[in-house]
Amino acid sequence: MAGGGALTSAAPLDRVADFPAIPDGWAYLDTAATAQKPQAVIDAITRAYDTSYATVHRGVYQRSADMTVAYEKAREAAARFIGAGSANEIVFTRGATEGINLVAQCWAATNLKAGDRILLSMLEHHSNIVPWQMVAERLGVAIDVLSLTHDHRIDLDAMERMLTPAHKLVSLGHVSNVLGSVLDGRRAADLAHGVGAKILLDGCQAVPRIAVDVKALDCDFYVFSGHKLYGPTGIGVLWARPELIDAMPPYQGGGSMIDRVSFEKTTYAPPPGRFEAGTPHIVGALGLHAAIDYVSAIGPDAIHAHEAALVAQAREGLSAINSVRLLGPEDSAGIVSFAVEGVHPHDIGTILDESRVAIRAGHHCAQPLMEALGLPATARASFGVYNGPDDVAALVDGVRRVTRIFG
């Protein structure tokens, strides 16, 4: 096949027909930024607005009651999807960013004190750095940063050496949004718990690509966003251990999160309602439910095998181009980042776009990682269930064209 190596480890899923926004001949390779939406998700959103829309948790009329049931079934679906023990452990958020900020404000800000320490890694997304910095600056907490291994994974051996009883929280990406490297989440959790620390895992890039079971991972908090899981924007999930979420105070006030309000004192609803102030993104939750059903029907193992094959093909094809520097491990999950010597990633992205190949070019909200890699930015191709060998071939042919243009 022109442009790339053969797809050998798994047959392609061939699901592109499910995605109406992907025209013939367009290679959409920016799924790590946001996934395209299958017709099933679009239909669920359309039905919700077109024939069954009403508010939730408030109305006594039948349509409101029906929509409340549908909304809570979405919560149950999210709980099943990540192996949570109960739907009450699931908080709907605007996305993973809000989920991390919620933990930062409602757990870290009330449990940490001056002299405590937080452990992050060099490859974290800004959303898993800045909220902790805000808390740390306010409380006098220190932040430590884990280095990477030679093949660009979080160095868990270094984590074992660095952890002390002063560390109260570890927050790590389950799958890197830049490098695609997969964290051994259970080992990380065991190490954190060994010194009495809590651990949060950022699952944005994990849940669309690999099977996730929060009980097996033994983490304390887990977050992900709907739009990277083939669902709508503006909806995400925070999972937390029941004993932790039960003890956390809210950080936003308003309707729906209360038990009783008076000017003398307000008492709060139990979780998850305590953390869902105001009218929620009702239709977003229903769209997320449809996305979860779509991904579950294909199966995380099938998706992982499919994307692993595309990654192998892309790495083989790109590595044959002398001026290309590949980043991340060989077995990265659905993501291939690379640089072309003497060419800015924005130019790579622009030239590829002329060939109808859409990639991401920039620092990917991971500026500390770029600094560690010695690069201002990278080009990133990320795959989904709608991609196939022809898309990879188009990517590799396009990068060859880039090298010819810049000679």
Side-chain angles (χ1 to χ4, degrees):
M1 176 172 293
L7 190 68
T8 57
S9 60
L13 289 173
D14 194 23
R15 303 300 292 247
V16 68
D18 296 342
F19 294 83
I22 301 180
D24 290 342
W26 187 50
Y28 180 74
L29 305 179
D30 197 21
T31 300
T34 193
Q36 296 291 327
K37 315 309 171 193
Q39 191 66 51
V41 170
I42 296 168
D43 289 346
I45 293 170
T46 300
R47 281 194 306 271
Y49 278 128
D50 190 36
T51 63
S52 57
Y53 183 74
T55 193
V56 297
H57 300 149
R58 291 170 173 83
V60 296
Y61 50 94
Q62 188 59 48
R63 182 178 286 189
S64 177
D66 291 344
M67 187 60 91
T68 299
V69 169
Y71 181 77
E72 291 303 328
K73 282 188 178 299
R75 196 188 307 276
E76 293 169 7
R80 286 193 302 272
F81 186 62
I82 61 171
S86 165
N88 289 335
E89 299 166 13
I90 298 294
V91 177
F92 283 134
T93 64
R94 290 183 297 125
T97 298
E98 185 176 61
I100 293 171
N101 275 276
L102 195 158
V103 176
Q105 298 302 320
C106 301
W107 185 84
T110 58
N111 284 276
L112 303 186
K113 62 185 186 305
D116 288 340
R117 309 186 79 86
I118 296 171
L119 184 62
L120 310 176
S121 87
M122 188 63 68
L123 57 65
E124 300 308 319
H125 189 281
H126 294 165
S127 295
N128 201 26
I129 299 174
V130 179
W132 309 119
Q133 290 177 326
M134 294 168 70
V135 169
E137 289 170 2
R138 188 162 81 242
L139 299 180
V141 170
I143 293 177
D144 297 314
V145 182
L146 283 167
S147 59
L148 304 182
T149 61
H150 66 90
D151 60 348
H152 298 157
R153 305 177 196 270
I154 295 174
D155 191 338
L156 294 183
D157 291 338
M159 178 177 172
E160 187 170 13
R161 293 190 297 269
M162 288 179 67
L163 280 170
T164 70
H167 287 97
K168 304 303 180 186
L169 179 72
V170 176
S171 193
L172 303 173
H174 196 178
V175 172
S176 167
N177 74 302
V178 179
L179 305 170
S181 46
V182 182
L183 175 73
D184 182 345
R186 180 55 189 256
R187 185 185 174 202
D190 288 345
L191 291 172
H193 294 157
V195 297
K198 302 295 187 280
I199 183 167
L200 180 148
L201 296 180
D202 173 0
C204 278
Q205 302 298 335
V207 292
R209 297 186 164 84
I210 60 176
V212 171
D213 185 328
V214 293
K215 289 183 180 177
L217 288 166
D218 199 30
C219 54
D220 299 292
F221 304 98
Y222 199 93
V223 299
F224 67 89
S225 291
H227 73 101
K228 298 180 192 295
L229 187 65
Y230 306 98
T233 56
I235 189 76
V237 165
L238 162 66
W239 170 84
R241 287 186 186 273
E243 64 272 20
L244 297 178
I245 200 170
D246 285 346
M248 287 162 52
Y251 82 116
Q252 295 185 78
S256 195
M257 51 75 69
I258 56 88
D259 172 34
R260 180 174 176 78
V261 174
S262 72
F263 282 109
E264 290 72 33
K265 182 178 177 59
T266 293
T267 55
Y268 305 120
R274 182 187 306 167
F275 304 103
E276 296 180 6
T279 302
H281 188 8
I282 302 165
V283 175
L286 272 59
L288 176 61
H289 190 174
I292 288 170
D293 286 349
Y294 181 82
V295 169
S296 298
I298 299 171
D301 291 343
I303 293 173
H304 181 59
H306 169 74
E307 294 188 355
L310 297 179
V311 164
Q313 180 189 351
R315 293 185 73 91
E316 180 184 347
L318 292 171
S319 65
I321 304 172
N322 290 334
S323 56
V324 169
R325 175 188 171 189
L326 285 169
L327 306 166
E330 293 285 337
D331 62 349
S332 60
I335 296 170
V336 177
S337 279
F338 61 95
V340 178
E341 185 179 354
V343 186
H344 195 281
H346 289 170
D347 293 324
I348 299 172
T350 299
I351 293 169
L352 286 174
D353 186 46
E354 294 171 356
S355 301
R356 304 192 73 198
V357 177
I359 66 162
R360 182 72 175 268
H363 56 65
H364 317 294
C365 296
Q367 288 177 316
L369 175 59
M370 294 298 111
E371 184 176 349
L373 295 172
L375 296 167
T378 71
R380 182 188 69 189
S382 51
F383 305 111
V385 298
Y386 32 66
N387 295 124
D390 288 346
D391 294 330
V392 179
L395 167 69
V396 177
D397 285 343
V399 174
R400 285 186 177 135
R401 180 169 177 254
V402 169
T403 61
R404 289 195 298 271
I405 291 172
F406 283 86

